[in-house]
Amino acid sequence: MCGLLFFALLLNANYVQFLNAGKYRDSQYNPRRLIEEYDRERGEILVAGTPVAKSKPTGGKYNYQRVYPQGPKYAPITGYYAITGSARGIENVENSILNGTDDSLFASRIVDLFSGKPARGGSVLLTIDPKAQDAAWKALRGKEGAIVALDPQTGAVLAMASSPSYDPNDLASHNPGDVQKAYNKLIKDPDKPMLNRALQETYPPGSTFKVVTAAAALASGKFSTGSRLYAAPTLDLPKTNKSLPNEYHRACPDGGGDGRTGFEKALEVSCNTAFGSVGLELGEGVLRQYAERFGFNSDPKLLGSAESVFPRDLDEPFLAYSAIGQYDVRATPLQMAMVAAGIANGGKVMKPYLVQEVRGPDLSTLSRTKPKVLSEAVPPEIAATVAGWMVNVVENGTGRKARIPGVQVAGKTGTAQQGKNDLPLAWFISFAPAQNPKVAVAVVIENGSSDRSEIGGGSLAAPLAKQVMEAVLDQ
């Protein structure tokens, strides 16, 4: 029996010290890990070569202090790293690189050991365009909402801003009590400053979803560019006495004398009855299929992003509302930027990414992200047709305030109902230049205005998208 007990102790010692060593070493409750990490210079998070998160020497008990030079502007991206062991954003996702424990840094650790140099973490270079990020941050000042800008050809995130935001420096204190106090205050704030609205909040996308419906209609083969669509003031819905109305209960311009309208005009004036009727004819399966090709109902796997949803098992009345981005359709600003980028990129939706390069302490490149096609949402000729219709929205329709002199812009406005007593959301998705797109943008503003004509005309969201697009194009 004693022999068996000694054997059990031997097994347990091996289990703790070898098999489970990593778990205990990396535990947030291990004070030695924290002391070791703060004795080592944590790597930088870089934007165009400039640190947006870095460590500075302190000379105190903990040798280094984490600092965020531009605080709230980059907080939704960088996140924070706290002495309590909690972390968010890039600080969390790339923690093993930044703290120097990643397997890819093994050779660097050996060199430092034999050379006597202090151990250091690696650095992470982001895809963010600092001009675009600055424009997005300034555009959102005083508003609640988010902006995402993507490179349509690669999926690289050029800007990601969420407002209101928070200062991660408040969570970088070496005093655990101060960190917990600051964290509790932020969590209890009703404005939710720690919520990354660009990735982690889903909204009804409203009329911006009509871009998906239009693309699905053409790709399905049930409609063509010359199809004439229902344009009456209201659309009677099957299986109910309810109806789907146009804004102000007006008929959409027919342009052909037959009381109907074409796709281009329907998108230009954002005709609800036209797209509601298209949704009913396409059916739930077809509409969901193309929504999923643009990225709905899947996790983009970017900093804990939420999944955008196109619902299943829809009754026909709800299908009509879903075709115009209402009912249970929910989308993040990232998702709607992916829709715009997919149309801009000839129908190919690229996987979004934030990390351009991972570098060792000696600045050598350890890895570089390669662009990856997520899906081919629609054929190139259909994407080109829808892009032309979106250009018309900006030049002649509801998106006029996104015009950029000398640059052809494609876009789509959106107004989305949130509830009976809530103010509607203001949306705008766009890309530019229309013929050779360099940037795709999605903007959402919460609780915009009770003046629906103001929102429908793109007065709130379109000018913000314009500022970001100009920042990217003015290189």
Side-chain angles (χ1 to χ4, degrees):
M1 180 60 68
C2 287
L4 287 173
L5 290 174
F6 274 113
F7 183 67
L9 286 172
L10 181 63
L11 286 178
N12 185 64
N14 278 275
Y15 177 76
V16 169
Q17 296 185 30
F18 293 96
L19 296 179
N20 236 17
K23 175 184 175 181
Y24 294 122
R25 181 193 65 223
D26 297 332
S27 170
Q28 61 176 310
Y29 303 107
N30 181 3
R32 292 186 179 183
R33 180 187 67 83
L34 287 173
I35 293 173
E36 180 184 351
E37 284 201 16
Y38 279 90
D39 279 347
R40 185 168 55 234
E41 184 177 2
R42 189 174 176 86
E44 296 176 329
I45 301 174
L46 303 164
V47 170
T50 300
V52 293
K54 60 181 182 179
S55 295
K56 67 176 184 180
T58 64
K61 175 183 176 182
Y62 299 106
N63 288 342
Y64 290 95
Q65 171 76 51
R66 201 60 169 163
V67 177
Y68 302 91
Q70 301 188 57
K73 184 195 300 186
Y74 284 96
I77 302 170
T78 62
Y80 66 88
Y81 182 75
I83 198 168
T84 56
S86 60
R88 286 193 181 191
I90 293 294
E91 291 278 31
N92 179 47
V93 173
E94 299 293 340
N95 183 50
S96 63
I97 288 290
L98 295 170
N99 69 19
T101 62
D102 195 82
D103 289 344
S104 64
L105 299 176
F106 178 75
S108 177
R109 291 196 297 271
I110 295 298
V111 170
D112 289 342
L113 178 65
F114 283 98
S115 65
K117 293 181 180 179
R120 295 172 294 160
S123 59
V124 175
L125 176 66
L126 303 181
T127 58
I128 297 296
D129 179 331
K131 289 184 179 180
Q133 184 71 12
D134 190 53
W137 175 244
K138 289 179 179 177
L140 285 173
R141 188 171 296 163
K143 302 176 180 67
E144 290 185 7
I147 297 176
V148 177
L150 300 175
D151 182 332
Q153 299 176 21
T154 66
V157 179
L158 303 178
M160 182 185 292
S162 177
S163 177
S165 186
Y166 67 100
D167 190 348
N169 289 296
D170 295 338
L171 299 167
S173 168
H174 286 172
N175 186 317
D178 291 344
V179 171
Q180 193 62 50
K181 183 178 179 181
Y183 179 81
N184 290 341
K185 182 179 179 181
L186 289 168
I187 287 296
K188 292 177 182 178
D189 190 327
D191 290 333
K192 301 179 182 179
M194 295 188 78
L195 175 66
N196 184 349
R197 288 166 163 82
L199 298 179
Q200 297 164 347
E201 184 69 288
T202 59
Y203 307 89
S207 293
T208 58
F209 190 80
K210 290 172 183 174
V211 171
V212 176
T213 303
L218 295 182
S220 70
K222 294 185 177 183
F223 294 86
S224 68
T225 55
S227 294
R228 304 292 290 167
L229 311 177
Y230 187 86
T234 60
L235 172 65
D236 291 332
L237 301 176
K239 302 179 182 179
T240 179
N241 57 2
K242 301 291 185 180
S243 61
L244 172 64
N246 284 327
E247 196 68 27
Y248 306 115
H249 296 269
R250 296 172 181 167
C252 301
D254 59 69
D258 59 355
R260 300 175 78 81
T261 189
F263 267 112
E264 185 170 37
K265 179 61 71 173
L267 203 65
E268 176 189 323
V269 300
S270 203
C271 185
N272 287 343
T273 58
F275 284 97
S277 66
V278 168
L280 288 175
E281 187 164 343
L282 287 177
E284 176 201 332
V286 172
L287 199 51
R288 186 177 66 250
Q289 174 190 355
Y290 285 96
E292 289 177 349
R293 288 186 180 186
F294 278 101
F296 282 80
N297 297 336
S298 63
D299 184 356
K301 292 182 171 59
L302 190 70
L303 296 188
S305 50
E307 185 175 294
S308 297
V309 176
F310 187 87
R312 296 177 180 273
D313 302 321
L314 287 169
D315 288 334
E316 286 182 292
F318 298 123
L319 177 58
Y321 274 94
S322 295
I324 65 167
Q326 291 287 174
Y327 184 54
D328 283 344
V329 180
R330 306 284 298 186
T332 63
L334 171 65
Q335 173 60 70
M336 296 316 296
M338 289 168 64
V339 169
I343 296 296
N345 195 39
K348 289 183 179 179
V349 180
M350 306 300 291
K351 181 176 175 58
Y353 63 98
L354 263 167
V355 175
Q356 185 69 54
E357 282 185 6
V358 172
R359 298 172 176 174
D362 59 355
L363 303 183
S364 62
T365 299
L366 300 177
S367 65
R368 173 183 283 269
T369 303
K370 294 180 180 179
K372 180 181 179 182
V373 177
L374 199 61
S375 67
E376 183 170 342
V378 292
E381 61 274 14
I382 290 175
T385 298
V386 175
W389 294 344
M390 293 173 69
V391 169
N392 186 55
V393 169
V394 174
E395 294 186 349
N396 303 305
T398 56
R400 290 182 178 90
K401 292 196 175 183
R403 293 173 178 169
I404 299 174
V407 178
Q408 197 174 53
V409 177
K412 181 68 188 80
T413 55
T415 305
Q417 296 296 318
Q418 303 185 79
K420 290 183 178 179
N421 300 318
D422 293 327
L423 293 172
L425 298 164
W427 277 95
F428 191 72
I429 63 173
S430 59
F431 57 87
Q435 298 303 318
N436 185 26
K438 303 296 183 185
V439 57
V441 180
V443 178
V444 65
I445 303 298
E446 299 177 9
N447 302 323
S449 171
S450 58
D451 184 350
R452 295 183 59 79
S453 63
E454 179 183 338
I455 298 176
S459 295
L460 292 178
L464 278 58
K466 174 185 176 180
Q467 294 171 42
V468 177
M469 288 186 289
E470 286 180 322
V472 174
L473 298 177
D474 184 27
Q475 299 296 331

